[in-house]
Amino acid sequence: MDYIEPACPFDCSAFTGRHDTEPVEKSLNMPELIKQLDGFFAENKIQQAGEFLDKQLELSREIGDWRSELSILSELMGFHRRSGNREKGITAVNDGLKLIGEHGMGRTISGATVILNAATTLKCFGEPENSIPMFIHVSRVYSQQLSPTDYRFAGLYNNMALSYEDMGQYEQAEKYIKSALRLLEKMEGNENDMAASLCNLAEVYFQLDNEDERVEKCMEEAWELLNCPKVKFDGYHAFTLTKCIPAFDYFGYFMYAKELRERAERIYEGN
């Protein structure tokens, strides 16, 4: 079993009270909202996506729809990671955690997934040491309610690994990335995520030994996955390319990086 459960120092008592199951009087159409948001991202309309999320957040608060508010805050965490706005990203984290505490969502899958997003945001904005206990809390919730092969563990492991890498704990980072890859390999259609994981793993191997031959192996495998015939050249692929291109540049794969950069531009222009 790939699940890894370390000791958990995270004080979850503020997030795990009585779970609020009462329905709200009015609610937003979240599936339609996410569809519209994905459309902005597919066209690389980042500013419009942010304005749309801010408007929907205000609306959710006006009608008292706290569940939609929590979902939108989670989307905003990811958005502000992407745009690099630390102040707004941390505000979304704090507001989201407050809602989780108020409604006792900390031990639910949906609540834990927002905590995962919050931890990833903390890592992105220079607080990896604060993110690790939150990741561990999420791992415990997931292990109690999900199959050990559930795809959500892969995202947890990858993000946890990045925090350990930032803290210089490269052996831990390697362990979690490999766990993520083992899960992704068992599922269909995960070429993009596997490629991104391999780029991260290459960076970890380089930190452990800058002459490690596994760096080249990881990058070549990532390249093959990004060019797999099964990969759709869509918005998610373009987003994955933006995450992988810096690694190809860093390790001297300049022609690969150039081709991937041009591909991402074509995808965004085509949308």
Side-chain angles (χ1 to χ4, degrees), residues 14 23 31 34 51 66 80 87 90-91 96 102 120 126 143 152 158 174 181 183 190 198 226 250 264:
I34 295 300
E51 292 171 351
W66 67 266
H80 292 308
E87 181 180 355
I90 297 299
T91 296
E102 289 175 350
T120 303
S143 70
R152 281 167 283 197
N158 270 322
E174 177 187 4
L181 282 167
L183 283 173
N190 285 305
L198 284 164
L226 292 172
Y250 184 79

Side-chain angles (χ1 to χ4, degrees), residues 197-225:
S197 295
L198 284 164
C199 288
N200 291 336
L201 186 58
E203 293 173 4
V204 168
Y205 285 145
F206 183 78
Q207 293 296 332
L208 288 168
D209 178 0
N210 58 20
E211 296 182 0
D212 195 322
E213 62 184 16
R214 292 176 296 181
V215 172
E216 180 179 357
K217 184 174 184 293
C218 286
M219 296 308 299
E220 291 293 345
E221 288 181 6
W223 170 254
E224 291 176 7
L225 285 165

Side-chain angles (χ1 to χ4, degrees), residues 132-197:
I132 291 296
M134 298 170 73
F135 283 131
I136 294 172
H137 170 72
V138 174
S139 72
R140 286 178 175 265
V141 174
Y142 279 7
S143 70
Q144 293 165 2
Q145 301 183 53
L146 297 176
S147 164
T149 58
D150 191 283
Y151 74 96
R152 281 167 283 197
F153 276 108
L156 168 63
Y157 292 155
N158 270 322
N159 285 299
M160 201 169 184
L162 293 175
S163 282
Y164 277 122
E165 183 179 356
D166 280 2
M167 295 165 64
Q169 298 184 28
Y170 302 116
E171 290 82 4
Q172 283 287 86
E174 177 187 4
K175 178 174 68 174
Y176 280 102
I177 295 174
K178 285 184 173 179
S179 291
L181 282 167
R182 282 194 291 271
L183 283 173
L184 292 169
E185 287 169 354
K186 298 174 183 177
M187 309 170 199
E188 291 291 329
N190 285 305
E191 289 80 13
N192 284 305
D193 294 332
M194 289 179 64
S197 295

